[in-house]
Short mmCIF file of all heavy atoms in Angstrom, two decimals:
data_model
loop_
_atom_site.label_atom_id
_atom_site.label_comp_id
_atom_site.label_asym_id
_atom_site.label_seq_id
_atom_site.Cartn_x
_atom_site.Cartn_y
_atom_site.Cartn_z
N LEU S 68 -32.54 14.48 11.77
CA LEU S 68 -33.85 14.04 11.32
C LEU S 68 -34.58 13.30 12.43
O LEU S 68 -35.78 13.54 12.67
CB LEU S 68 -33.71 13.12 10.10
CG LEU S 68 -33.46 13.80 8.76
CD1 LEU S 68 -33.20 12.75 7.69
CD2 LEU S 68 -34.62 14.67 8.37
N VAL S 69 -33.88 12.43 13.14
CA VAL S 69 -34.51 11.69 14.25
C VAL S 69 -34.90 12.62 15.38
O VAL S 69 -36.00 12.54 15.93
CB VAL S 69 -33.56 10.57 14.74
CG1 VAL S 69 -34.05 9.95 16.02
CG2 VAL S 69 -33.40 9.50 13.65
N MET S 70 -33.99 13.56 15.74
CA MET S 70 -34.31 14.52 16.81
C MET S 70 -35.51 15.39 16.43
O MET S 70 -36.38 15.67 17.27
CB MET S 70 -33.08 15.38 17.12
CG MET S 70 -32.02 14.66 17.90
SD MET S 70 -30.48 15.57 18.22
CE MET S 70 -30.90 17.27 18.10
N GLY S 71 -35.56 15.85 15.20
CA GLY S 71 -36.69 16.65 14.74
C GLY S 71 -37.99 15.86 14.78
O GLY S 71 -39.04 16.40 15.17
N ALA S 72 -37.93 14.60 14.37
CA ALA S 72 -39.14 13.77 14.39
C ALA S 72 -39.62 13.53 15.82
O ALA S 72 -40.82 13.60 16.12
CB ALA S 72 -38.85 12.45 13.69
N ILE S 73 -38.68 13.26 16.72
CA ILE S 73 -39.05 13.05 18.13
C ILE S 73 -39.63 14.33 18.72
O ILE S 73 -40.65 14.28 19.44
CB ILE S 73 -37.83 12.55 18.94
CG1 ILE S 73 -37.49 11.11 18.52
CG2 ILE S 73 -38.10 12.61 20.43
CD1 ILE S 73 -36.21 10.59 19.10
N ASP S 74 -39.02 15.46 18.42
CA ASP S 74 -39.55 16.75 18.91
C ASP S 74 -40.96 17.01 18.36
O ASP S 74 -41.81 17.52 19.07
CB ASP S 74 -38.61 17.90 18.55
CG ASP S 74 -37.34 17.89 19.37
OD1 ASP S 74 -37.26 17.11 20.35
OD2 ASP S 74 -36.42 18.66 19.02
N TRP S 75 -41.17 16.69 17.10
CA TRP S 75 -42.47 16.91 16.47
C TRP S 75 -43.54 16.01 17.15
O TRP S 75 -44.64 16.47 17.47
CB TRP S 75 -42.40 16.58 14.99
CG TRP S 75 -43.58 17.06 14.19
CD1 TRP S 75 -44.90 16.81 14.46
CD2 TRP S 75 -43.56 17.85 13.03
NE1 TRP S 75 -45.68 17.37 13.51
CE2 TRP S 75 -44.88 18.03 12.62
CE3 TRP S 75 -42.54 18.39 12.27
CZ2 TRP S 75 -45.22 18.76 11.49
CZ3 TRP S 75 -42.89 19.13 11.14
CH2 TRP S 75 -44.21 19.30 10.77
N ILE S 76 -43.18 14.75 17.38
CA ILE S 76 -44.13 13.82 17.99
C ILE S 76 -44.45 14.24 19.42
O ILE S 76 -45.59 14.14 19.86
CB ILE S 76 -43.55 12.39 17.95
CG1 ILE S 76 -43.52 11.87 16.51
CG2 ILE S 76 -44.36 11.45 18.84
CD1 ILE S 76 -42.76 10.59 16.33
N SER S 77 -43.46 14.72 20.14
CA SER S 77 -43.67 15.09 21.54
C SER S 77 -44.10 16.54 21.74
O SER S 77 -44.11 17.02 22.87
CB SER S 77 -42.39 14.80 22.34
OG SER S 77 -41.34 15.62 21.89
N SER S 78 -44.45 17.24 20.68
CA SER S 78 -44.81 18.66 20.78
C SER S 78 -46.20 18.89 21.37
O SER S 78 -46.50 19.99 21.82
CB SER S 78 -44.72 19.33 19.42
OG SER S 78 -45.75 18.83 18.58
N ASP S 79 -47.06 17.89 21.37
CA ASP S 79 -48.42 18.00 21.90
C ASP S 79 -49.20 19.14 21.26
O ASP S 79 -50.02 19.79 21.91
CB ASP S 79 -48.40 18.19 23.43
CG ASP S 79 -47.90 16.96 24.15
OD1 ASP S 79 -48.11 15.85 23.64
OD2 ASP S 79 -47.31 17.11 25.25
N GLY S 80 -48.95 19.41 20.01
CA GLY S 80 -49.70 20.43 19.28
C GLY S 80 -49.28 21.86 19.54
O GLY S 80 -49.90 22.78 19.04
N ASP S 81 -48.23 22.07 20.34
CA ASP S 81 -47.73 23.42 20.63
C ASP S 81 -47.08 23.98 19.37
O ASP S 81 -46.10 23.43 18.86
CB ASP S 81 -46.74 23.36 21.78
CG ASP S 81 -46.22 24.73 22.19
OD1 ASP S 81 -46.82 25.73 21.77
OD2 ASP S 81 -45.22 24.77 22.93
N PRO S 82 -47.61 25.08 18.81
CA PRO S 82 -47.07 25.62 17.56
C PRO S 82 -45.58 25.98 17.63
O PRO S 82 -44.86 25.83 16.64
CB PRO S 82 -47.92 26.86 17.29
CG PRO S 82 -49.11 26.73 18.14
CD PRO S 82 -48.76 25.85 19.28
N GLU S 83 -45.13 26.47 18.78
CA GLU S 83 -43.72 26.85 18.90
C GLU S 83 -42.80 25.62 18.85
O GLU S 83 -41.76 25.63 18.20
CB GLU S 83 -43.51 27.61 20.21
CG GLU S 83 -42.14 28.19 20.37
CD GLU S 83 -41.78 29.24 19.31
OE1 GLU S 83 -42.72 29.95 18.85
OE2 GLU S 83 -40.62 29.34 18.94
N LYS S 84 -43.21 24.54 19.52
CA LYS S 84 -42.42 23.31 19.50
C LYS S 84 -42.43 22.68 18.11
O LYS S 84 -41.41 22.13 17.66
CB LYS S 84 -42.95 22.31 20.54
CG LYS S 84 -42.63 22.70 21.96
CD LYS S 84 -43.13 21.64 22.92
CE LYS S 84 -42.83 22.00 24.35
NZ LYS S 84 -43.34 20.97 25.29
N ILE S 85 -43.56 22.74 17.44
CA ILE S 85 -43.64 22.20 16.07
C ILE S 85 -42.74 23.00 15.14
O ILE S 85 -42.06 22.43 14.27
CB ILE S 85 -45.12 22.21 15.57
CG1 ILE S 85 -45.92 21.17 16.35
CG2 ILE S 85 -45.18 21.93 14.07
CD1 ILE S 85 -47.39 21.18 16.01
N LYS S 86 -42.70 24.31 15.32
CA LYS S 86 -41.84 25.16 14.48
C LYS S 86 -40.37 24.80 14.68
O LYS S 86 -39.61 24.69 13.72
CB LYS S 86 -42.09 26.63 14.81
CG LYS S 86 -41.31 27.59 13.96
CD LYS S 86 -41.63 29.02 14.30
CE LYS S 86 -40.79 29.98 13.48
NZ LYS S 86 -41.02 31.37 13.85
N LYS S 87 -39.96 24.60 15.96
CA LYS S 87 -38.58 24.22 16.24
C LYS S 87 -38.25 22.84 15.64
O LYS S 87 -37.17 22.65 15.09
CB LYS S 87 -38.31 24.21 17.75
CG LYS S 87 -38.25 25.58 18.35
CD LYS S 87 -37.94 25.51 19.85
CE LYS S 87 -37.90 26.89 20.45
NZ LYS S 87 -37.63 26.83 21.90
N ALA S 88 -39.18 21.92 15.75
CA ALA S 88 -38.96 20.57 15.19
C ALA S 88 -38.86 20.64 13.67
O ALA S 88 -37.99 19.99 13.06
CB ALA S 88 -40.10 19.65 15.60
N ARG S 89 -39.72 21.42 13.05
CA ARG S 89 -39.69 21.59 11.59
C ARG S 89 -38.37 22.20 11.15
O ARG S 89 -37.79 21.80 10.15
CB ARG S 89 -40.86 22.45 11.13
CG ARG S 89 -40.92 22.57 9.62
CD ARG S 89 -42.07 23.43 9.14
NE ARG S 89 -43.34 22.83 9.53
CZ ARG S 89 -44.35 23.52 10.06
NH1 ARG S 89 -44.26 24.82 10.24
NH2 ARG S 89 -45.48 22.91 10.37
N ASN S 90 -37.88 23.17 11.92
CA ASN S 90 -36.59 23.81 11.58
C ASN S 90 -35.45 22.80 11.67
O ASN S 90 -34.53 22.83 10.85
CB ASN S 90 -36.32 25.00 12.50
CG ASN S 90 -37.17 26.19 12.15
OD1 ASN S 90 -37.70 26.27 11.05
ND2 ASN S 90 -37.32 27.11 13.09
N LYS S 91 -35.48 21.89 12.65
CA LYS S 91 -34.45 20.85 12.73
C LYS S 91 -34.48 19.96 11.50
O LYS S 91 -33.45 19.62 10.93
CB LYS S 91 -34.65 19.99 13.98
CG LYS S 91 -34.12 20.60 15.24
CD LYS S 91 -34.25 19.62 16.39
CE LYS S 91 -33.87 20.29 17.70
NZ LYS S 91 -34.05 19.40 18.83
N ILE S 92 -35.67 19.57 11.09
CA ILE S 92 -35.82 18.69 9.93
C ILE S 92 -35.37 19.41 8.66
O ILE S 92 -34.66 18.84 7.83
CB ILE S 92 -37.27 18.16 9.81
CG1 ILE S 92 -37.56 17.24 11.01
CG2 ILE S 92 -37.48 17.44 8.50
CD1 ILE S 92 -39.01 16.82 11.13
N VAL S 93 -35.75 20.67 8.50
CA VAL S 93 -35.34 21.45 7.33
C VAL S 93 -33.81 21.61 7.32
O VAL S 93 -33.18 21.47 6.27
CB VAL S 93 -36.06 22.82 7.30
CG1 VAL S 93 -35.44 23.75 6.28
CG2 VAL S 93 -37.53 22.62 7.00
N ASP S 94 -33.23 21.89 8.47
CA ASP S 94 -31.77 22.01 8.56
C ASP S 94 -31.07 20.71 8.15
O ASP S 94 -30.05 20.71 7.49
CB ASP S 94 -31.34 22.42 9.95
CG ASP S 94 -31.72 23.87 10.29
OD1 ASP S 94 -32.05 24.62 9.36
OD2 ASP S 94 -31.69 24.21 11.48
N ALA S 95 -31.65 19.58 8.57
CA ALA S 95 -31.08 18.29 8.19
C ALA S 95 -31.16 18.07 6.68
O ALA S 95 -30.19 17.58 6.07
CB ALA S 95 -31.80 17.16 8.94
N VAL S 96 -32.27 18.43 6.09
CA VAL S 96 -32.43 18.25 4.64
C VAL S 96 -31.48 19.18 3.89
O VAL S 96 -30.89 18.78 2.87
CB VAL S 96 -33.90 18.47 4.22
CG1 VAL S 96 -34.05 18.51 2.71
CG2 VAL S 96 -34.79 17.39 4.81
N VAL S 97 -31.29 20.41 4.38
CA VAL S 97 -30.32 21.32 3.76
C VAL S 97 -28.91 20.75 3.87
O VAL S 97 -28.13 20.78 2.92
CB VAL S 97 -30.42 22.73 4.40
CG1 VAL S 97 -29.25 23.60 3.98
CG2 VAL S 97 -31.73 23.39 4.03
N GLY S 98 -28.57 20.20 5.02
CA GLY S 98 -27.26 19.56 5.20
C GLY S 98 -27.08 18.40 4.25
O GLY S 98 -25.99 18.21 3.68
N LEU S 99 -28.13 17.61 4.06
CA LEU S 99 -28.05 16.50 3.10
C LEU S 99 -27.82 17.03 1.70
O LEU S 99 -27.03 16.48 0.93
CB LEU S 99 -29.33 15.67 3.16
CG LEU S 99 -29.41 14.49 2.21
CD1 LEU S 99 -28.32 13.47 2.54
CD2 LEU S 99 -30.79 13.83 2.31
N GLY S 100 -28.48 18.14 1.35
CA GLY S 100 -28.27 18.76 0.05
C GLY S 100 -26.84 19.21 -0.14
O GLY S 100 -26.26 19.07 -1.22
N ILE S 101 -26.25 19.77 0.92
CA ILE S 101 -24.84 20.21 0.84
C ILE S 101 -23.92 19.01 0.64
O ILE S 101 -22.98 19.07 -0.17
CB ILE S 101 -24.47 21.01 2.10
CG1 ILE S 101 -25.22 22.35 2.11
CG2 ILE S 101 -22.96 21.21 2.19
CD1 ILE S 101 -25.09 23.11 3.41
N LEU S 102 -24.18 17.91 1.34
CA LEU S 102 -23.36 16.71 1.16
C LEU S 102 -23.47 16.16 -0.27
O LEU S 102 -22.46 15.81 -0.88
CB LEU S 102 -23.78 15.62 2.15
CG LEU S 102 -23.44 15.87 3.60
CD1 LEU S 102 -24.07 14.79 4.49
CD2 LEU S 102 -21.94 15.90 3.81
N VAL S 103 -24.69 16.11 -0.78
CA VAL S 103 -24.88 15.62 -2.15
C VAL S 103 -24.21 16.57 -3.14
O VAL S 103 -23.59 16.13 -4.12
CB VAL S 103 -26.38 15.44 -2.45
CG1 VAL S 103 -26.63 15.19 -3.92
CG2 VAL S 103 -26.95 14.31 -1.60
N ALA S 104 -24.33 17.88 -2.90
CA ALA S 104 -23.70 18.84 -3.79
C ALA S 104 -22.19 18.72 -3.78
O ALA S 104 -21.54 18.84 -4.83
CB ALA S 104 -24.12 20.26 -3.39
N SER S 105 -21.58 18.47 -2.60
CA SER S 105 -20.12 18.33 -2.55
C SER S 105 -19.69 17.11 -3.36
O SER S 105 -18.69 17.16 -4.08
CB SER S 105 -19.64 18.23 -1.11
OG SER S 105 -19.87 16.95 -0.57
N PHE S 106 -20.44 16.02 -3.25
CA PHE S 106 -20.11 14.83 -4.04
C PHE S 106 -20.28 15.11 -5.53
O PHE S 106 -19.43 14.72 -6.34
CB PHE S 106 -21.00 13.66 -3.61
CG PHE S 106 -20.69 12.39 -4.31
CD1 PHE S 106 -19.58 11.63 -3.94
CD2 PHE S 106 -21.48 11.92 -5.33
CE1 PHE S 106 -19.28 10.46 -4.59
CE2 PHE S 106 -21.19 10.75 -5.99
CZ PHE S 106 -20.08 10.00 -5.61
N ALA S 107 -21.37 15.80 -5.88
CA ALA S 107 -21.61 16.11 -7.30
C ALA S 107 -20.53 17.05 -7.85
O ALA S 107 -20.09 16.86 -8.99
CB ALA S 107 -22.99 16.75 -7.45
N ILE S 108 -20.09 18.00 -7.04
CA ILE S 108 -19.03 18.91 -7.49
C ILE S 108 -17.73 18.17 -7.73
O ILE S 108 -17.05 18.38 -8.74
CB ILE S 108 -18.84 20.05 -6.47
CG1 ILE S 108 -20.02 21.01 -6.52
CG2 ILE S 108 -17.54 20.81 -6.71
CD1 ILE S 108 -20.07 22.01 -5.39
N VAL S 109 -17.38 17.25 -6.82
CA VAL S 109 -16.17 16.46 -7.00
C VAL S 109 -16.26 15.63 -8.26
O VAL S 109 -15.31 15.59 -9.07
CB VAL S 109 -15.90 15.57 -5.76
CG1 VAL S 109 -14.85 14.52 -6.04
CG2 VAL S 109 -15.48 16.43 -4.57
N LYS S 110 -17.38 14.96 -8.49
CA LYS S 110 -17.53 14.14 -9.69
C LYS S 110 -17.54 15.01 -10.95
O LYS S 110 -16.98 14.62 -11.98
CB LYS S 110 -18.81 13.30 -9.62
CG LYS S 110 -18.72 12.20 -8.61
CD LYS S 110 -17.60 11.26 -8.96
CE LYS S 110 -17.41 10.21 -7.93
NZ LYS S 110 -16.25 9.34 -8.21
#
Side-chain angles (χ1 to χ4, degrees):
L68 282 174
V69 169
M70 286 176 22
I73 290 172
D74 288 350
W75 193 307
I76 291 170
S77 64
S78 68
D79 292 330
D81 182 14
E83 188 63 31
K84 288 182 179 179
I85 291 175
K86 184 178 177 183
K87 287 181 181 179
R89 184 180 298 136
N90 286 341
K91 280 185 187 177
I92 293 172
V93 167
D94 290 345
V96 171
V97 168
L99 180 62
I101 291 170
L102 289 173
V103 170
S105 77
F106 183 77
I108 289 169
V109 166
K110 289 300 176 185

